[in-house]
Amino acid sequence: MAAYHLEIYTRPTCSDCQDLKNFLEEHQIPHTQYDLAKQPEKEEALKKITGNRIVPGIIFSRSSMLGLKKKFKSMTGFEQNKEEIKKLLEVS
């Protein structure tokens, strides 16, 4: 099991989003998904974390050693970040 909690922000018309979702399903990676077409209010959270509204927005979080606060790593786009995502999720 990966040490990260994964959240993804997607839109149904985004092919990179679909590739990301297929990848996560194929590797059985647990994640929370926000479809911005169905949950437009989540767009502000994406913008706050990544600085933009570009999808897919990929957010990795985990608790600090004391479990007090979460540390975030965010990315925009799947294809250009695929190798780093694999490393963070410990998949080959």
Short mmCIF file of all heavy atoms in Angstrom, two decimals, residues 1-4 6 20 23-24 27 29 58 60 62 73 75 78-92:
data_model
loop_
_atom_site.label_atom_id
_atom_site.label_comp_id
_atom_site.label_asym_id
_atom_site.label_seq_id
_atom_site.Cartn_x
_atom_site.Cartn_y
_atom_site.Cartn_z
N MET A 1 0.84 -1.19 0.00
CA MET A 1 0.00 0.00 0.00
C MET A 1 0.89 1.25 0.00
O MET A 1 1.86 1.33 0.71
CB MET A 1 -0.91 -0.01 1.23
CG MET A 1 -1.82 1.20 1.30
SD MET A 1 -2.87 1.21 2.77
CE MET A 1 -4.16 0.13 2.23
N ALA A 2 0.52 2.20 -0.81
CA ALA A 2 1.30 3.42 -0.91
C ALA A 2 1.18 4.25 0.36
O ALA A 2 0.19 4.18 1.06
CB ALA A 2 0.82 4.23 -2.11
N ALA A 3 2.22 5.03 0.61
CA ALA A 3 2.24 5.87 1.81
C ALA A 3 1.45 7.15 1.61
O ALA A 3 1.30 7.93 2.53
CB ALA A 3 3.69 6.20 2.16
N TYR A 4 0.94 7.36 0.42
CA TYR A 4 0.23 8.59 0.09
C TYR A 4 -1.27 8.37 -0.03
O TYR A 4 -1.72 7.32 -0.45
CB TYR A 4 0.72 9.15 -1.25
CG TYR A 4 2.09 9.73 -1.21
CD1 TYR A 4 3.20 8.96 -1.54
CD2 TYR A 4 2.29 11.05 -0.86
CE1 TYR A 4 4.47 9.48 -1.50
CE2 TYR A 4 3.57 11.60 -0.82
CZ TYR A 4 4.65 10.81 -1.14
OH TYR A 4 5.90 11.34 -1.10
N LEU A 6 -4.23 9.76 -2.32
CA LEU A 6 -4.27 10.37 -3.64
C LEU A 6 -5.65 10.93 -3.93
O LEU A 6 -6.66 10.26 -3.74
CB LEU A 6 -3.91 9.31 -4.68
CG LEU A 6 -3.97 9.72 -6.15
CD1 LEU A 6 -3.00 10.86 -6.45
CD2 LEU A 6 -3.66 8.52 -7.03
N LEU A 20 -5.37 8.69 -16.87
CA LEU A 20 -5.01 8.62 -15.46
C LEU A 20 -5.94 7.66 -14.72
O LEU A 20 -5.49 6.79 -13.97
CB LEU A 20 -5.07 10.01 -14.82
CG LEU A 20 -4.93 10.06 -13.29
CD1 LEU A 20 -3.58 9.49 -12.84
CD2 LEU A 20 -5.12 11.48 -12.80
N PHE A 23 -5.16 4.10 -15.60
CA PHE A 23 -3.92 3.69 -14.95
C PHE A 23 -4.17 3.33 -13.48
O PHE A 23 -3.70 2.30 -13.00
CB PHE A 23 -2.89 4.83 -15.05
CG PHE A 23 -1.65 4.62 -14.23
CD1 PHE A 23 -0.62 3.85 -14.71
CD2 PHE A 23 -1.52 5.20 -12.97
CE1 PHE A 23 0.53 3.65 -13.95
CE2 PHE A 23 -0.39 5.02 -12.20
CZ PHE A 23 0.65 4.24 -12.70
N LEU A 24 -4.91 4.16 -12.78
CA LEU A 24 -5.19 3.91 -11.37
C LEU A 24 -6.03 2.64 -11.19
O LEU A 24 -5.77 1.85 -10.27
CB LEU A 24 -5.89 5.11 -10.74
CG LEU A 24 -5.07 6.40 -10.69
CD1 LEU A 24 -5.91 7.56 -10.17
CD2 LEU A 24 -3.81 6.23 -9.86
N HIS A 27 -3.86 -0.54 -11.85
CA HIS A 27 -2.94 -0.83 -10.75
C HIS A 27 -3.65 -0.92 -9.40
O HIS A 27 -2.98 -1.04 -8.37
CB HIS A 27 -1.82 0.22 -10.72
CG HIS A 27 -0.92 0.14 -11.91
ND1 HIS A 27 0.04 -0.84 -12.06
CD2 HIS A 27 -0.85 0.90 -13.02
CE1 HIS A 27 0.66 -0.67 -13.21
NE2 HIS A 27 0.14 0.39 -13.82
N ILE A 29 -5.14 1.28 -7.52
CA ILE A 29 -4.65 2.31 -6.60
C ILE A 29 -5.84 3.07 -6.02
O ILE A 29 -6.61 3.68 -6.77
CB ILE A 29 -3.68 3.26 -7.31
CG1 ILE A 29 -2.48 2.45 -7.75
CG2 ILE A 29 -3.30 4.43 -6.42
CD1 ILE A 29 -1.49 3.13 -8.59
N ILE A 58 -3.55 16.34 -9.76
CA ILE A 58 -3.16 15.15 -9.00
C ILE A 58 -2.53 15.62 -7.69
O ILE A 58 -1.52 16.32 -7.71
CB ILE A 58 -2.16 14.30 -9.82
CG1 ILE A 58 -2.76 13.97 -11.19
CG2 ILE A 58 -1.76 13.05 -9.06
CD1 ILE A 58 -1.75 13.59 -12.25
N PHE A 60 -1.09 14.46 -3.97
CA PHE A 60 -0.62 13.43 -3.04
C PHE A 60 -0.51 14.08 -1.67
O PHE A 60 0.04 15.17 -1.54
CB PHE A 60 0.78 12.93 -3.43
CG PHE A 60 0.81 12.15 -4.70
CD1 PHE A 60 1.01 12.78 -5.92
CD2 PHE A 60 0.65 10.77 -4.69
CE1 PHE A 60 1.05 12.06 -7.10
CE2 PHE A 60 0.70 10.05 -5.86
CZ PHE A 60 0.89 10.69 -7.06
N ARG A 62 0.14 13.15 2.73
CA ARG A 62 0.42 12.18 3.79
C ARG A 62 0.67 12.93 5.07
O ARG A 62 1.03 14.09 5.07
CB ARG A 62 1.58 11.26 3.44
CG ARG A 62 2.91 11.93 3.34
CD ARG A 62 3.98 10.90 3.07
NE ARG A 62 5.22 11.55 2.70
CZ ARG A 62 6.25 10.89 2.25
NH1 ARG A 62 6.21 9.60 2.10
NH2 ARG A 62 7.35 11.53 1.94
N LYS A 73 1.92 17.17 -2.29
CA LYS A 73 2.67 17.27 -3.54
C LYS A 73 1.61 17.30 -4.61
O LYS A 73 0.72 16.45 -4.63
CB LYS A 73 3.58 16.08 -3.74
CG LYS A 73 4.28 16.12 -5.08
CD LYS A 73 5.49 15.23 -5.10
CE LYS A 73 6.27 15.37 -6.37
NZ LYS A 73 6.94 16.63 -6.53
N MET A 75 0.53 17.90 -8.84
CA MET A 75 0.97 17.86 -10.23
C MET A 75 -0.21 18.19 -11.12
O MET A 75 -1.36 17.98 -10.73
CB MET A 75 1.45 16.46 -10.60
CG MET A 75 2.58 15.93 -9.80
SD MET A 75 2.88 14.23 -10.29
CE MET A 75 3.86 13.73 -8.89
N PHE A 78 -1.17 14.01 -16.50
CA PHE A 78 -0.78 12.63 -16.23
C PHE A 78 0.44 12.20 -17.06
O PHE A 78 1.44 11.77 -16.51
CB PHE A 78 -1.95 11.69 -16.49
CG PHE A 78 -1.59 10.24 -16.38
CD1 PHE A 78 -1.09 9.72 -15.20
CD2 PHE A 78 -1.77 9.39 -17.45
CE1 PHE A 78 -0.74 8.38 -15.09
CE2 PHE A 78 -1.43 8.05 -17.35
CZ PHE A 78 -0.92 7.54 -16.18
N GLU A 79 0.35 12.32 -18.37
CA GLU A 79 1.41 11.79 -19.24
C GLU A 79 2.79 12.33 -18.89
O GLU A 79 3.74 11.57 -18.77
CB GLU A 79 1.10 12.03 -20.72
CG GLU A 79 0.07 11.07 -21.28
CD GLU A 79 0.44 9.60 -21.14
OE1 GLU A 79 1.62 9.23 -21.32
OE2 GLU A 79 -0.45 8.81 -20.82
N GLN A 80 2.92 13.65 -18.70
CA GLN A 80 4.24 14.21 -18.43
C GLN A 80 4.73 13.90 -17.02
O GLN A 80 5.91 14.05 -16.73
CB GLN A 80 4.28 15.72 -18.70
CG GLN A 80 3.49 16.56 -17.72
CD GLN A 80 2.09 16.85 -18.20
OE1 GLN A 80 1.48 16.06 -18.92
NE2 GLN A 80 1.55 17.98 -17.81
N ASN A 81 3.86 13.44 -16.14
CA ASN A 81 4.24 13.10 -14.76
C ASN A 81 4.16 11.62 -14.45
O ASN A 81 4.32 11.22 -13.30
CB ASN A 81 3.34 13.87 -13.78
CG ASN A 81 3.57 15.37 -13.85
OD1 ASN A 81 4.67 15.83 -13.61
ND2 ASN A 81 2.53 16.10 -14.18
N LYS A 82 3.90 10.81 -15.46
CA LYS A 82 3.62 9.38 -15.26
C LYS A 82 4.72 8.66 -14.48
O LYS A 82 4.45 7.90 -13.55
CB LYS A 82 3.39 8.70 -16.60
CG LYS A 82 2.86 7.29 -16.49
CD LYS A 82 2.50 6.76 -17.87
CE LYS A 82 1.88 5.39 -17.79
NZ LYS A 82 1.43 4.94 -19.12
N GLU A 83 5.97 8.89 -14.82
CA GLU A 83 7.07 8.19 -14.15
C GLU A 83 7.18 8.59 -12.68
O GLU A 83 7.40 7.76 -11.81
CB GLU A 83 8.40 8.41 -14.89
CG GLU A 83 8.43 7.75 -16.27
CD GLU A 83 8.05 6.27 -16.25
OE1 GLU A 83 8.58 5.51 -15.41
OE2 GLU A 83 7.20 5.85 -17.08
N GLU A 84 7.02 9.87 -12.40
CA GLU A 84 7.07 10.32 -11.00
C GLU A 84 5.88 9.77 -10.21
O GLU A 84 6.02 9.37 -9.04
CB GLU A 84 7.09 11.84 -10.92
CG GLU A 84 7.28 12.33 -9.49
CD GLU A 84 7.45 13.83 -9.38
OE1 GLU A 84 7.44 14.54 -10.39
OE2 GLU A 84 7.62 14.29 -8.23
N ILE A 85 4.72 9.72 -10.83
CA ILE A 85 3.53 9.14 -10.20
C ILE A 85 3.78 7.68 -9.85
O ILE A 85 3.48 7.23 -8.75
CB ILE A 85 2.29 9.32 -11.10
CG1 ILE A 85 1.91 10.80 -11.16
CG2 ILE A 85 1.12 8.48 -10.57
CD1 ILE A 85 0.90 11.13 -12.25
N LYS A 86 4.37 6.94 -10.79
CA LYS A 86 4.68 5.53 -10.53
C LYS A 86 5.60 5.37 -9.34
O LYS A 86 5.40 4.50 -8.50
CB LYS A 86 5.35 4.90 -11.77
CG LYS A 86 4.41 4.59 -12.89
CD LYS A 86 5.20 3.96 -14.02
CE LYS A 86 4.35 3.48 -15.14
NZ LYS A 86 5.17 2.82 -16.19
N LYS A 87 6.61 6.24 -9.24
CA LYS A 87 7.54 6.17 -8.11
C LYS A 87 6.84 6.47 -6.79
O LYS A 87 7.04 5.77 -5.80
CB LYS A 87 8.70 7.16 -8.32
CG LYS A 87 9.69 6.72 -9.35
CD LYS A 87 10.78 7.77 -9.53
CE LYS A 87 11.62 7.45 -10.74
NZ LYS A 87 12.55 8.53 -11.04
N LEU A 88 6.02 7.51 -6.78
CA LEU A 88 5.31 7.87 -5.55
C LEU A 88 4.34 6.79 -5.11
O LEU A 88 4.14 6.57 -3.93
CB LEU A 88 4.57 9.20 -5.74
CG LEU A 88 5.45 10.44 -5.82
CD1 LEU A 88 4.63 11.64 -6.27
CD2 LEU A 88 6.11 10.72 -4.49
N LEU A 89 3.73 6.11 -6.08
CA LEU A 89 2.75 5.07 -5.77
C LEU A 89 3.37 3.68 -5.66
O LEU A 89 2.66 2.71 -5.39
CB LEU A 89 1.64 5.08 -6.82
CG LEU A 89 0.80 6.34 -6.85
CD1 LEU A 89 -0.14 6.32 -8.03
CD2 LEU A 89 0.03 6.51 -5.55
N GLU A 90 4.67 3.61 -5.91
CA GLU A 90 5.41 2.36 -5.81
C GLU A 90 4.83 1.28 -6.73
O GLU A 90 4.58 0.16 -6.32
CB GLU A 90 5.44 1.88 -4.35
CG GLU A 90 6.09 2.89 -3.44
CD GLU A 90 5.90 2.57 -1.96
OE1 GLU A 90 5.23 1.58 -1.63
OE2 GLU A 90 6.43 3.33 -1.15
N VAL A 91 4.58 1.65 -8.01
CA VAL A 91 4.13 0.69 -9.01
C VAL A 91 5.13 0.67 -10.15
O VAL A 91 5.87 1.61 -10.36
CB VAL A 91 2.71 1.02 -9.56
CG1 VAL A 91 1.67 0.93 -8.46
CG2 VAL A 91 2.67 2.35 -10.24
N SER A 92 5.13 -0.43 -10.88
CA SER A 92 6.06 -0.54 -12.02
C SER A 92 5.32 -0.47 -13.33
O SER A 92 4.14 -0.54 -13.40
CB SER A 92 6.85 -1.83 -11.93
OG SER A 92 5.99 -2.92 -11.78
#
